[in-house]
Amino acid sequence: MVVLNRIYTRTGDDGTTALGSGERRPKYDLRIAAYGTVDETNAALGVVRLYLSELPELDAMIGRIQNDLFDLGADLAVPEREGKAERLRVLSSQVERLERDIDQLNEALAPLTSFVLPGGKPAAAYLHVARTICRRAERAMVELGARPNETITPAAVQYVNRLSDFLFVAARTVNDGGARDVLWVPGQNR
């Protein structure tokens, strides 16, 4: 269990923050940016859930995802190091559950005939916002993993990749199974 007795510590006043390993890094460090963007995705999903009272099954899925995003943040906050005890990591079973949820939602959707513009119902619009934030987190994670002496677990990258797909399908679900999707019309404003 996590216990937070004090919210401010003043240890970050010098522009650094501590990873879960205790190592201090500048607040602009790419690892900090990656898990900060995961946290931003989670916050956007909190807004989405305000609009899901009529879709309790989808709300429950997103509630599970919010918990997974804390697992992902914990994964990113403690870089893998040889000889160190293993910490909380995103697992392939979490990726597989997300895939099952995507498949379940996608079964009921109308086929796409165009690209979808963010919009429709408020929850759908916010899901698209969460999707784009998630994609930014994925880019930061992949860039971080490409740097020397930095590691990202494969399941963590897979999870955020699937999550953006889930958020797209969830937005279409909220938009009455795609009936209220706002479709792109190429060259409409020429």
Side-chain angles (χ1 to χ4, degrees):
M1 175 185 355
V2 176
V3 177
L4 300 172
N5 291 327
R6 286 183 46 193
I7 300 304
Y8 65 91
T9 61
R10 297 188 175 113
T11 59
D13 291 351
D14 66 352
T16 66
T17 194
L19 297 178
S21 62
E23 174 188 354
R24 295 202 68 83
R25 295 214 184 164
K27 291 187 179 190
Y28 58 80
D29 183 86
L30 188 56
R31 184 168 293 276
I32 308 306
Y35 69 72
T37 309
V38 167
D39 188 39
E40 191 178 344
T41 303
N42 205 342
L45 291 177
V47 174
V48 168
R49 295 185 72 195
L50 296 174
Y51 296 92
L52 295 181
S53 61
E54 295 179 13
L55 296 169
E57 190 172 359
L58 180 59
D59 183 59
M61 288 177 183
I62 293 175
R64 287 189 296 272
I65 288 167
Q66 286 189 291
N67 198 76
D68 285 351
L69 289 174
F70 263 79
D71 290 353
L72 177 57
D75 187 325
L76 292 169
V78 182
E80 288 184 301
R81 301 284 188 238
E82 287 187 37
K84 296 286 182 176
E86 197 56 34
R87 293 292 188 92
L88 181 62
R89 299 288 176 215
V90 171
L91 302 174
S92 59
S93 60
Q94 290 168 290
V95 177
E96 292 161 5
R97 191 203 70 244
L98 203 48
E99 289 173 346
R100 287 190 304 275
D101 288 347
I102 292 167
D103 292 342
Q104 178 185 339
L105 293 176
N106 202 43
E107 281 178 9
L109 296 179
L112 277 175
T113 58
S114 179
F115 287 103
V116 175
L117 300 177
K121 292 184 174 182
Y126 284 120
L127 280 159
H128 283 292
V129 170
R131 177 184 56 77
T132 62
I133 297 168
C134 180
R135 284 289 189 204
R136 183 163 27 98
E138 181 183 17
R139 290 189 300 272
M141 289 168 60
V142 169
E143 181 182 352
L144 178 65
R147 290 187 175 181
N149 302 316
E150 292 287 4
T151 59
I152 299 292
T153 58
V157 174
Q158 292 168 358
Y159 188 89
V160 293
N161 189 27
R162 292 310 177 287
L163 179 57
S164 61
D165 295 333
F166 171 90
L167 297 172
F168 177 78
V169 170
R172 295 199 66 225
T173 298
V174 168
N175 274 340
D176 298 335
R180 295 183 78 172
D181 284 341
V182 179
L183 299 179
W184 173 49
V185 179
Q188 175 179 353
N189 299 315
R190 288 184 175 181

